[in-house]
Amino acid sequence: MSQPVQIKNALISVYYKDNLEPIIHELHRLGVKIYSTGGTETFIRSLGAEVIAVEDLTSYPSILGGRVKTLHPKVFGGILGRRNFEGDQQQMAQYDIPEIDLVIVDLYPFEETVKSGAGQDDVIEKIDIGGISLIRAAAKNFKDVVIVASKDDYTELAEILKTQNGETAIEQRKSFAQRAFNITSHYDTAIFEYFSQDEQMPVFKQSIQTSSVLRYGENPHQKGVFYGNLDAMFTKLNGKELSYNNLVDVDAAVALIDEFTEPTIAILKHTNACGIASRSFIKEAWIDALACDPVSAFGGVIIANGEIDAETATEINKLFFEVLIAPAYTDEAVRIFQGKKNRIILVRQPVELPVKQFKTLLNGVIEQDKDMTVEGPDQMRPVTDKQPTEHELKDLYFANKVVKHTKSNTIVFAKNGQLMASGVGQTSRVDSLKQAVIKAESFGFDLKGAVMASDAFFPFNDCVELAAEAGITAVLQPGGSVKDQDSIDMANQKGIAMVMTGVRHFKH
């Protein structure tokens, strides 16, 4: 470490005072002169430390309801003055400007205020001016100044003060500056997004302050990073760290399970459900979900929307899987799963998820609204002579939820709240249907009385004909083809029901 700087003067003005006390005691011990404002000044005095009001330094009061208090040359000169520039030093001496070696400043809680639903006037008042300017100034002059812009860094600073007796190294100051610019850039992005909610020509800006380096990306030769706070989303009870591919599958699993309120378990492989069932009890849901395709289930991601008990855990434990997600587990269930150290067991926490999706593409980024709708029986318009029964409508609703979260082109067969089979990601819809029929037959499912859902319209009547011949009695599709009538006529000819929803659910 090189270029040590001894802290002699500090400016402290913070919104959050958590864990600030040890820093004040260390600065007091080291004889550091402290400048402060408002509530922070009062807090420091309450700890028995000497403090100088910024107003006394600037000879200018806090004005405009506190909007202007630190915006003064004696404050910013003390932060921005270069210690090794003779001209700067001469001017600082001329205007009696003290060198400020440590700045501890955070920002008004703008994002929190927006999330609270506060009115525009309250939100605007939480746009920090002086604080963000002080942070930028101190971070810019990191060669001479320490900047601490977050309560998350208080403990580290206290340790430095204690073990290095108020002396900091250039590497430490640069690290604090990097974190400070992360905070200011994120803050500016949040403000921009607030003001751009109704813009007709949006600008793409995203800022996520936390990240996790992954073992690798989709393949070992690719680097991978997750930007976000996984700890807020999941509590890990067992297993290794989530990989890039795990995260992609977990995201798909969460989106799918959120469609269901009754006890449901889904098994996913490469983001597609290879098994899913809704039952009265979670254990029953597991048994029937696994029965859909026990071959593909090997090494998959499992998600439940109810507590996993010991009996269910015993059954699940018979299968090799990568990740299991549930809102809760009994203690005995956890002990069962912890018998194998690498399997990832996650407790899902209630976290608000984004309603926008985006990804890099070509030389830019594409963004869209998340597909937040799925059509139930009330949105299913019968178009055939035969009307679907109440039971078929219920199964069509189940199938429609699954088809929405399955790769296009896709066909889903379902019966009695259970996935029978699906054809996924094929280049023609008829190939998807044929794939689904073969899979259903290979696992011993009788498709007589089952229903079929398609993520998009049928361009020809061949899918309806093949489905009817396989035993399907009701079909759901969005409609919209110029040849819709051909499919309707085929359904009438085969004596099966068909409904149209008017909503396509492509998932590329």
Side-chain angles (χ1 to χ4, degrees), residues 265 267 282-288 290 302 308-321 324 333 336-337 340 343:
I265 287 187
I267 310 166
I282 282 292
K283 180 183 174 182
E284 295 173 352
W286 164 251
I287 291 171
D288 288 343
L290 179 62
I302 304 166
I308 303 294
D309 57 27
E311 285 190 23
T312 308
T314 300
E315 293 299 318
I316 295 175
N317 204 43
K318 297 174 183 177
L319 176 76
F320 169 75
F321 61 87
L324 172 62
I336 291 169
F337 291 129
K340 297 181 181 179
R343 291 187 309 190

Side-chain angles (χ1 to χ4, degrees), residues 159-302:
E159 185 65 19
I160 289 173
L161 294 172
K162 183 178 179 180
T163 59
Q164 297 173 205
N165 285 319
E167 191 174 86
T168 62
I170 184 66
E171 293 86 354
Q172 293 169 328
R173 297 193 297 278
K174 187 174 182 180
S175 175
F176 279 123
Q178 179 190 35
R179 283 173 264 176
F181 281 126
N182 180 25
I183 288 169
T184 59
S185 64
H186 178 82
Y187 197 77
D188 283 340
T189 298
I191 295 171
F192 175 83
E193 288 178 345
Y194 175 77
F195 277 93
S196 302
Q197 294 176 73
D198 300 322
E199 285 292 320
Q200 296 301 311
M201 293 293 291
V203 174
F204 181 79
K205 288 182 184 291
Q206 286 289 325
S207 176
I208 301 174
Q209 292 180 290
T210 55
S211 65
S212 305
V213 177
L214 306 173
R215 294 195 301 276
Y216 49 81
E218 282 184 289
N219 301 290
H221 64 278
Q222 296 170 268
K223 292 182 179 179
V225 180
F226 173 77
Y227 295 98
N229 185 1
L230 280 176
D231 291 338
M233 183 90 191
F234 302 109
T235 300
K236 190 172 72 172
L237 303 180
N238 189 73
K240 57 189 178 181
E241 296 302 315
L242 287 160
S243 69
Y244 181 100
N245 292 333
N246 288 156
L247 288 169
V248 173
D249 283 330
V250 166
D251 176 68
V254 167
L256 174 59
I257 205 68
D258 282 352
E259 302 284 3
F260 298 87
T261 55
E262 60 272 39
T264 302
I265 287 187
I267 310 166
L268 285 87
K269 202 71 174 288
H270 302 165
T271 75
N272 294 305
C274 58
I276 181 169
S278 296
R279 293 293 180 261
S280 299
F281 301 99
I282 282 292
K283 180 183 174 182
E284 295 173 352
W286 164 251
I287 291 171
D288 288 343
L290 179 62
C292 298
D293 186 348
V295 175
S296 296
F298 183 85
V301 169
I302 304 166

Side-chain angles (χ1 to χ4, degrees), residues 112-160:
E112 292 85 343
T113 305
V114 172
K115 289 178 182 177
S116 73
Q120 186 180 81
D121 288 347
D122 290 332
V123 171
I124 296 302
E125 285 308 308
K126 288 299 185 291
I127 297 177
D128 208 311
I129 303 300
I132 203 163
S133 301
L134 291 167
I135 292 171
R136 289 185 192 280
K140 175 178 180 176
N141 204 23
F142 70 90
K143 289 184 178 180
D144 299 311
V145 180
V146 181
I147 173 61
V148 174
S150 169
K151 62 181 180 180
D152 295 336
D153 294 330
Y154 289 175
T155 301
E156 180 180 346
L157 175 62
E159 185 65 19
I160 289 173

Side-chain angles (χ1 to χ4, degrees), residues 6 89 102 107 110 175 178 233 250-251 315 337 387 400 427 432 445 452 472 477 505:
Q6 184 70 40
Q89 292 299 302
L102 169 64
L107 299 171
F110 178 83
S175 175
Q178 179 190 35
M233 183 90 191
V250 166
D251 176 68
E315 293 299 318
F337 291 129
Q387 302 289 296
N400 200 27
T427 51
S432 292
F445 286 113
M452 178 176 81
I472 298 299
Q477 62 143 321
H505 289 294

